[in-house]
Amino acid sequence: MPSTFRRDWITKPIFHLAQRALPRLSATEREAIEAGDVWWDADLFTGNPDWNKLLACAPARLSDEERAFLAGPVDELCRMVDDWKINWQWHDLPPQVWDFLKARKFFAMIIPKAYGGLGFSAYAHSEVIRKLSSRSIAVACTAMVPNSLGPGELLMQFGTKAQQDYWLPRLASGEEIPCFGLTSPEAGSDAASMIDTGVVCRGRYEGREVLGIRLNWHKRYITLGPIATVLGLAFRLRDPDHLIGDRDEIGITLALVPTHLPGISIGRRHLPAMHVFQNGPNWGRDVFIPVDNIIGGVEQAGKGWKMLMSALAAGRGISLPSLSAAGTAYTAHVSGAYARIREQFHVAIGKFEAIQERLGRMAATAYLLDAARRMTCAALDDGHHPAVVTAIMKAQATERLRVSVNDAMDVHGGKAIIEGPLNYLGSLYRGVPIAITVEGANIVTRSLIQFGQGAIRCHPYLLKEMMALEDGDRARGLEAFDQTLWGHIGHSLANAARAFGRAWSGGRFAPAPDAGPATKFYRQLSRHAAAFALAVDLALLTLGGGLKRKEMLSARFGDILSELYLSSAALKRWNDEGRQEADFPLLEWCMQASFAVIETRFDEIFANFPIRPVGWLLRFFVLPFGRRRRGASDRVTDRCAALLTSPSAARDRLAVDLFHPPADEHNNGLALLERAFAMMVAVQPIRDRMHAARVRDIDQALRQRTIDAAEAALLKDAAAAVAAAIAVDDFAPEELTSRGAASKEDVSSQAISQPAPQLQPQAAE
Ligand SMILES: Cc1cc2nc3c(=O)[nH]c(=O)nc-3n(C[C@H](O)[C@H](O)[C@H](O)COP(=O)(O)OP(=O)(O)OC[C@H]3O[C@@H](n4cnc5c(N)ncnc54)[C@H](O)[C@@H]3O)c2cc1C
């Protein structure tokens, strides 16, 4: 029982002070903060995460049915798709692909079976997007959107029974194609500032006089918009005649708008980075819909922002993180193969240290992102909707995808720059900015949401304190504030002691489960979690609401939280996969890189902290010996790179369940690369022998009997395969004029027919 003395003489003045200092949360901020729930992010915020709890969480698993879908329809769809022709020749998915997507219910992965959907887990949904992404971004985005934020998800979470019974079966069967319109020319990241309006009024709908809404809007960038039959629309609802309540301004509302209604213009198409999934603007002028079309009915009028944030809390953790995990695994895989087959200065480029530096980063990033994707899906399948975690996943996964794709482009040089069917990277490279921008552009997500929302949502006391301060009943508010404030102070002191002890001992005694050689990593993360909790508390105490405007500081805090989350996932993956020895360098790379980022961000926060003594104090507690971590060592990077340039179970684990084109697929750069890689690996012992005999020329080696005739033939086949794999497309000028590269059909066969260079001997080491 708190003493009344403490409450009245100590807490009360602080309460009044804090009430004056605390900026009021706007309705949209409050709704964003209240959306979803918290999960492992909240444990990290305590400063003392319980590792055993994390390791005990069941890993994500597929059911037999989901596995069969991936091996069946998803594979079949991938085989039907030609990404080059879709983007550059047809500018759309071909009709048979559209039909297949609808018939096999790709648009209904999240719709429950009771409504005719597939009722897949988050993990299965993610695996489907992942595999499709490794074949065609345009197809992956097309399948992604109806399963992400949009009418399906909103109806399932908030729809009335009648709405669910009517719309969900129609969406599941593909009879209705949905899209979701939130963004308008004037309202992008600040979507809540939209000026699209709806006015409650009476009007005629399908021959009857009904209570309805007259809508006026202008949206843009709407995926599936050009072909959608039903538009989920976000707008500001007004009720000047008080027909559904007593307020004039009702607020952001979501409704279903059939796109055939009079007054709707479906504009022309946008071309998003030359990925031709359907995307475009649309307008409505005095479009009339019944109030029954408000998602969730009239009771949900004005609650649109909360609904959106809630739907986003789950979906954001699946679509783009899955595409990014696929993209990083893909780039690592193809770059390793290319670095093995491409030779310069008589050496495979994968043997150059500077290339290994890139390969090592790609391999470890692929390991990390897939770990985080699986862990997040497991949480979603366990019923969580962790809004901060999914924001971290979206921003971090897409940002790391960008780094990996750039690395892959650099490793490939001109091969990845020249567009055409032989280019298996250009498409992904062009797609990265889309992933960076949609579902919350990364700069705003990193600087405002990851930490800004995280600090309020995941902190064990902050939200309770804010609620107490905003309580209309001041006596009750003071009572609650008194309880939480003193709990908070105790928590902060404990974290200060933890952070100090763990920093000054180098984390040697920080808590960790017994995880063999990985135990030391848990200890370092425990150390940094305590430091993070302490730094957050001091920043909140000294900067208060002003921290929101300090975006650079906030972004650095967000980075530390993200590193703690992603590193936890890598540790969990290593554990869940039976502590694979061969994967340990990947884990080590991730951890070393993560600790360096964490220390760098702490250093930057302390150096830039607006109240200098607080920065000095934090440095003394958290980084007493300065920045010690320098990122992954050359030794570890080298071992990670080696995993990509030779076949192994570890290499396969990185790209498991991505789509691999059939070896004989005509005109496919990836198929040619995989073939050349396999052949070069197969002839390596022969080349080693030639190297030992100091003979380079195949015919000379044959004459000297260093190799036999069969081996000479194998070497020549491998050389031809390499020539085909490193070839690039070219076009007749007229092919590039009227219809772009439309008629480019047989380029790889032309390229393959070019003379093959001789393979030079090369030692394996
Ligand atoms: C291919 C594609 C598909 C899309 N599909 C859909 C769809 O189906 N439905 C839909 O409704 N929308 C869709 N969008 C819209 C998408 O969600 C927006 O593009 C996104 O919200 C960003 O808005 P904007 O492009 O206007 O950028 P802006 O909001 O103008 O932002 C420009 C830059 O400023 C940054 N920024 C903005 N505010 C801040 C801040 N406070 N602090 C720091 N930085 C800030 C942003 O991070 C960004 O880097 C799509 C967009 C694209 C490109």
Side-chain angles (χ1 to χ4, degrees), residues 107 109-110 125 129 141 143-154 156 180 311-312 314-320 439:
F107 296 154
M109 286 188 273
I110 58 168
H125 172 189
I129 297 301
C141 288
M144 206 182 267
V145 165
N147 292 291
S148 187
L149 175 64
E153 174 75 30
L154 291 163
M156 285 185 318
F180 190 72
L312 199 59
R316 184 163 54 188
I318 301 176
S319 311
L320 295 165
E439 296 200 348

Side-chain angles (χ1 to χ4, degrees), residues 180-183 188-189 220-223 272 277 279 434 437-439 441-444 447-448 551:
F180 190 72
L182 173 65
T183 308
S189 300
R220 70 173 178 181
Y221 304 153
I222 309 307
T223 303
F277 57 87
N279 185 286
I434 303 175
T437 301
V438 302
E439 296 200 348
N442 277 8
I443 295 180
V444 81
S447 54
L448 284 182
E551 288 192 349

Side-chain angles (χ1 to χ4, degrees), residues 155-173:
L155 281 166
M156 285 185 318
Q157 277 199 38
F158 304 104
T160 62
K161 177 87 176 64
Q163 288 172 339
Q164 290 176 341
D165 288 346
Y166 179 79
W167 287 104
L168 291 178
R170 296 164 73 88
L171 289 170
S173 67

